[in-house]
Amino acid sequence: SEHYGIPWHLRWTQGNYQPDAVWYWNYRFLEETKRGLGDKEDLHSPGYLTVTLQPGDAVTLEAREGLPNSVLGVLTAKTFAEAVEAEQQRLSQIFGWSEGGTGDWGLGTRKELSNLYSPLPTPHSLIRQQLLKASDRFIVYRASIAGPTVIAGYHWFNDWARDTLIALPGLTLVPQRFDLAKGLLRAFGHYCRHGLIPNAFPDVDSEPFYNSIDAPLWWIETLGLYLEATQDWQFLAEQFPVVQQIHKAFVGGTRYNIQADATDGLIGWDARGVALTWMDVVIGGHPVTPRRGKPVEINALWYSALCWLSQWAKRLSQLEFGEPVRLSKQAQRYAQQAQQVKNSLQKFWNPQLGYLYDVIEPDDRRNFQIRPNAVLALSLHHCGFSEQQGCQILDLATSSLLTPYGLRSLDPGDPEYKGRYEGNQEQRDRAYHQGSVWVWLIGPYIRAWQRFYPQQTLPFDWQPLIDHFLFAACIGSISEIFDGDPPHTPRGAIAQAWSIAEVIRHIK
């Protein structure tokens, strides 16, 4: 007979199973009702299992994909312990954990692990171990690209380039999963078209979605961090044609009218009805956060990319990959372009506010909303802003955007601010980048703070975020967003890759 979906089965070590096929028609899901989604579904209960346990007894229940077969062997009380041990060994091989918790990323002793979910303060070494364990759950294999990718978040998201690339350092470089990092970079670089990296791959055999202005720039930034960690110059030589393709497209022009302005070197874009930055919500053909023109973090990424290109062309010429003379001249040209862009970045400086304009619009008007994109601009490997500017930006971001769970996407004093992410789909979308707190932004904030205030204590307490990780939403993971208003209720996806990744990068 024809099967639909993936078959699965249950096994148990003891108990009395009573078949009792019952349908529950029009079962309502309250969370879906609150979110304005389809909230009714028919549920089927095949039966129920009754087990009588005495003190000290145990029952093992196993759910497994596929149909039952004799190869599985007999389910016993030891099966669960064996499965846990196998998973521990797998993670130990991936992360280099040592028995007994020696080393910075050790598993910890049994006593320490038993105390992990106690209400008492937990050692950060154990938190880091659990964060790494959580990070591995986002790594998947996509058959359509025959390579690894990263699920952006559970339950609703697929793999997105922007999220993958921002999360990559925390997911792979910190735990030294360098082969995985290389595989991710190679997979997305392989699909570079017209200088753009696909922001998403479809689930069916069709063209990827090229609707992100920052994905190719994040790809270059992340490639740079990978190379800094590995000195893998052979991989640079392999990927340098992709780097050059991105540069050529951004200078000469590509989709969505993305192009460097010949007068100042800054990158702009101009297309109606789309949102190409990470603030990407569109409702009825109208972006909720219109950022056409020259967004500040895009041009900070562009400056950092040009600095990387100059370094790499020089490095490849010295290592005699390709034509040394031509590469040396390219290095000089990239350096000149980087200097032009660095000078032009001052167009974003708002001296009255002591902050950066969020966007220089196509008609040259400035958007002076206080958003975290200015902090992003300070956090990249190559920064084009002065120490005085960086300190002023961080001071205002700290007072206006910083919360115990990350940075708000908009200053609460802004008339467009939405402090609660709730209601139907449209209401939530209008709050998504208009005030909601994003956990992943705590990473750029910390990197910027370490750059401009290296001797001062970070004004951020990890404990609320640790408590969330241990006790709230998806226990053992970190939510996508929180309300901008106190008490900062967790919202959105209950487990988000870049939330976990940025905490891994910085929690000590």
Side-chain angles (χ1 to χ4, degrees):
S1 63
E2 186 176 0
H3 293 283
Y4 295 92
I6 300 174
W8 62 281
H9 66 275
L10 293 173
R11 298 194 297 164
W12 50 89
T13 52
Q14 60 171 304
N16 179 43
Y17 176 72
Q18 181 65 45
D20 184 35
V22 174
W23 281 97
Y24 295 86
W25 306 110
N26 295 318
Y27 190 90
R28 173 167 286 178
F29 297 102
L30 297 182
E31 187 63 29
E32 276 71 11
T33 301
K34 288 191 293 184
R35 294 177 64 87
L37 302 174
D39 60 356
K40 292 181 180 178
E41 190 170 301
D42 299 333
L43 301 182
H44 180 251
S45 172
Y48 55 90
L49 177 69
T50 303
V51 185
T52 301
L53 297 176
Q54 300 298 326
D57 287 351
V59 61
T60 299
L61 180 68
E62 179 190 74
R64 182 185 289 267
E65 286 186 358
L67 298 173
N69 62 76
S70 58
V71 178
L72 295 176
V74 178
L75 183 68
T76 69
K78 293 182 179 180
T79 305
F80 178 71
E82 291 169 351
V84 170
E85 179 64 24
E87 176 65 4
Q88 291 280 38
Q89 291 179 0
R90 185 186 72 85
L91 292 172
S92 296
Q93 291 175 353
I94 290 174
F95 297 118
W97 290 334
S98 56
E99 187 175 352
T102 59
D104 194 36
W105 294 92
L107 276 168
T109 65
R110 286 185 180 274
K111 181 178 180 181
E112 287 173 328
L113 291 173
S114 68
N115 291 332
L116 181 62
Y117 294 101
S118 75
L120 300 175
T122 306
H124 282 193
S125 59
L126 290 181
I127 297 298
R128 290 199 298 270
Q129 185 264 326
Q130 292 298 312
L131 285 164
L132 283 183
K133 185 177 179 181
S135 75
D136 188 60
R137 298 175 185 134
F138 298 98
I139 309 300
V140 298
Y141 178 85
R142 177 178 277 281
S144 63
I145 64 173
T149 189
V150 175
I151 294 296
Y154 296 104
H155 310 293
W156 303 294
F157 299 145
N158 281 351
D159 46 340
W160 294 336
R162 177 189 297 117
D163 295 55
T164 296
L165 295 166
I166 291 173
L168 189 147
L171 297 184
T172 67
L173 300 186
V174 172
Q176 300 183 22
R177 301 181 72 175
F178 297 131
D179 287 343
L180 174 59
K182 183 189 290 190
L184 291 167
L185 288 165
R186 180 180 281 130
F188 282 96
H190 176 74
Y191 286 90
C192 184
R193 302 289 185 273
H194 309 289
L196 300 179
I197 298 291
N199 196 38
F201 294 103
D203 290 330
V204 295
D205 187 18
S206 60
E207 183 75 2
F209 302 109
Y210 292 88
N211 59 343
S212 168
I213 189 175
D214 53 345
L217 300 176
W218 279 117
W219 185 85
I220 291 175
E221 181 76 4
T222 307
L223 174 62
L225 299 179
Y226 167 80
L227 294 171
E228 289 288 300
T230 64
Q231 307 292 297
D232 187 355
W233 306 122
Q234 186 66 48
F235 186 63
L236 171 61
E238 173 193 315
Q239 297 298 314
F240 200 62
V242 180
V243 174
Q244 291 176 306
Q245 180 191 154
I246 294 170
H247 174 265
K248 181 179 179 180
F250 272 59
V251 171
T254 185
R255 296 178 179 179
Y256 307 105
N257 295 309
I258 298 170
Q259 188 170 11
D261 187 329
T263 62
D264 58 17
L266 297 177
I267 296 295
W269 67 281
D270 191 359
R272 301 283 181 176
V274 294
L276 304 184
T277 74
W278 77 277
M279 294 182 164
D280 56 0
V281 174
V282 177
I283 299 177
H286 300 284
V288 174
T289 311
R291 305 189 73 219
R292 286 189 307 123
K294 301 171 181 176
V296 63
E297 84 282 7
I298 300 303
N299 282 284
L301 280 162
W302 176 235
Y303 169 70
S304 190
L306 290 169
C307 292
W308 285 120
L309 264 65
S310 179
Q311 292 178 22
W312 295 341
K314 183 177 181 180
R315 170 72 66 171
L316 292 175
S317 71
Q318 294 170 343
L319 296 175
E320 298 185 354
F321 286 106
E323 303 175 28
V325 175
R326 181 176 59 84
L327 286 167
S328 182
K329 290 181 178 179
Q330 285 181 340
Q332 294 176 9
R333 186 171 76 253
Y334 296 145
Q336 291 169 354
Q337 291 175 340
Q339 186 60 52
Q340 180 193 25
V341 172
K342 183 177 182 180
N343 295 338
S344 298
L345 285 175
Q346 291 305 307
K347 292 185 176 183
F348 289 97
W349 180 243
N350 181 345
Q352 287 75 33
L353 196 59
Y355 208 69
L356 299 179
Y357 294 112
D358 193 59
V359 182
I360 299 175
E361 298 176 4
D363 59 5
D364 211 39
R365 288 184 299 172
R366 268 59 167 175
N367 181 307
F368 52 82
Q369 290 179 302
I370 300 172
R371 294 188 179 275
N373 301 310
V375 177
L376 269 177
L378 301 180
S379 69
L380 303 173
H381 192 79
H382 303 94
C383 179
F385 297 96
S386 70
E387 180 179 351
Q388 181 180 4
Q389 289 172 332
C391 291
Q392 288 185 257
I393 292 165
L394 284 171
D395 290 347
L396 187 52
T398 300
S399 62
S400 299
L401 304 178
L402 183 64
T403 76
Y405 301 99
L407 299 188
R408 294 183 180 94
S409 45
L410 184 62
D411 170 28
D414 193 289
E416 296 183 6
Y417 173 79
K418 308 288 186 186
R420 297 179 66 83
Y421 180 84
E422 58 187 6
N424 60 31
Q425 181 77 50
E426 180 174 337
Q427 290 170 322
R428 296 194 314 277
D429 281 350
R430 292 195 180 280
Y432 203 40
H433 300 112
Q434 298 291 85
S436 295
V437 173
W438 290 76
V439 179
W440 77 271
L441 291 170
I442 198 61
Y445 176 84
I446 292 173
R447 291 191 288 279
W449 186 273
Q450 291 171 340
R451 168 175 278 151
F452 292 101
Y453 282 125
Q455 304 303 320
Q456 294 195 23
T457 302
L458 179 73
F460 181 75
D461 180 5
W462 285 106
Q463 197 58 50
L465 201 50
I466 291 173
D467 289 344
H468 168 79
F469 175 69
L470 294 177
F471 304 116
C474 178
I475 293 175
S477 198
I478 300 178
S479 294
E480 175 192 15
I481 57 174
F482 290 73
D483 281 343
D485 288 347
H488 305 298
T489 302
R491 306 286 190 179
I494 61 173
Q496 192 79 359
W498 59 9
S499 297
I500 287 285
E502 288 292 359
V503 175
I504 287 174
R505 287 181 76 173
H506 293 290
I507 192 168
K508 302 298 183 184

